[in-house]
């Protein structure tokens, strides 16, 4: 039997705050026992579980692994606007005039991730 990924773990400075951000982004929930100041916070969302763990070191280099998010019920651009309103910042805009491309964002602690086109947007381009 092989292994499975139980959750993806993020080192961070504020587990609760970052957990709240990602719970909103992914339409998930923060653990009922997670409160501000906790050293860990667990987010469960459809298809994923993210664990945030407080560490003393700040992020200092580009992520070697990142999420590529695909909106399920809105366009890429609507999703970018929604996530920026939650506290993300735009790091790179790779959208093309023909509608293809993606946007690279950073969460409140600087972890990069991308927002790609929705399945509906991809189907229109095919």
């Amino acid at each position: 039997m092989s292994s499975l990924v139980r959750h993806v773990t993020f080192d961070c400075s504020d587990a609760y705050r970052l957990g709240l951000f990602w719970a909103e982004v992914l339409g998930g929930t923060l653990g009922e026992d997670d409160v501000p100041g906790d050293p860990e916070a667990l987010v469960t969302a459809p298809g994923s579980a993210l664990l945030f763990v407080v560490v003393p070191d700040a992020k200092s280099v580009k992520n070697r692994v990142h999420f590529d998010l695909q909106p399920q019920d809105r366009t890429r651009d609507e999703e970018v606007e929604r996530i920026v309103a939650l506290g993300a910042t735009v790091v790179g805009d790779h959208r093309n005039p023909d509608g293809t491309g993606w946007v690279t964002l950073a969460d409140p602690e600087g972890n990069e991730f991308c927002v790609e086109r929705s399945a509906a947007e991809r189907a229109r381009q095919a």
Side-chain angles (χ1 to χ4, degrees):
M1 178 177 269
S2 61
S3 296
L4 60 83
V5 176
R6 183 169 173 217
H7 39 66
V8 177
T9 302
F10 288 79
D11 292 348
C12 61
S13 63
D14 187 335
Y16 184 80
R17 188 183 96 166
L18 204 54
L20 283 176
F21 171 83
W22 280 102
E24 285 292 322
V25 168
L26 299 175
T29 58
L30 198 56
E32 289 181 16
D33 57 346
D34 291 323
V35 296
D38 278 355
E40 296 181 356
L42 179 65
V43 172
T44 54
S48 62
L50 308 179
L51 178 64
F52 299 91
V53 178
V54 173
V55 297
D57 306 317
K59 180 181 178 292
S60 60
V61 297
K62 183 182 182 306
N63 297 15
R64 293 194 57 167
V65 175
H66 69 270
F67 294 129
D68 288 334
L69 303 180
Q70 183 180 47
Q72 299 300 296
D73 59 355
R74 58 184 59 94
T75 67
R76 173 200 56 213
D77 296 346
E78 291 167 337
E79 185 69 345
V80 168
E81 288 178 26
R82 183 182 79 85
I83 296 173
V84 166
L86 292 172
T89 55
V90 175
V91 175
D93 191 334
H94 309 282
R95 292 177 278 198
N96 299 309
D98 67 356
T100 60
W102 67 94
V103 178
T104 303
L105 302 175
D107 72 16
E109 291 203 10
N111 300 300
E112 295 94 0
F113 61 99
C114 296
V115 179
E116 299 182 345
R117 295 177 297 153
S118 68
E121 289 174 296
R122 288 175 182 277
R124 285 194 295 268
Q125 289 275 270

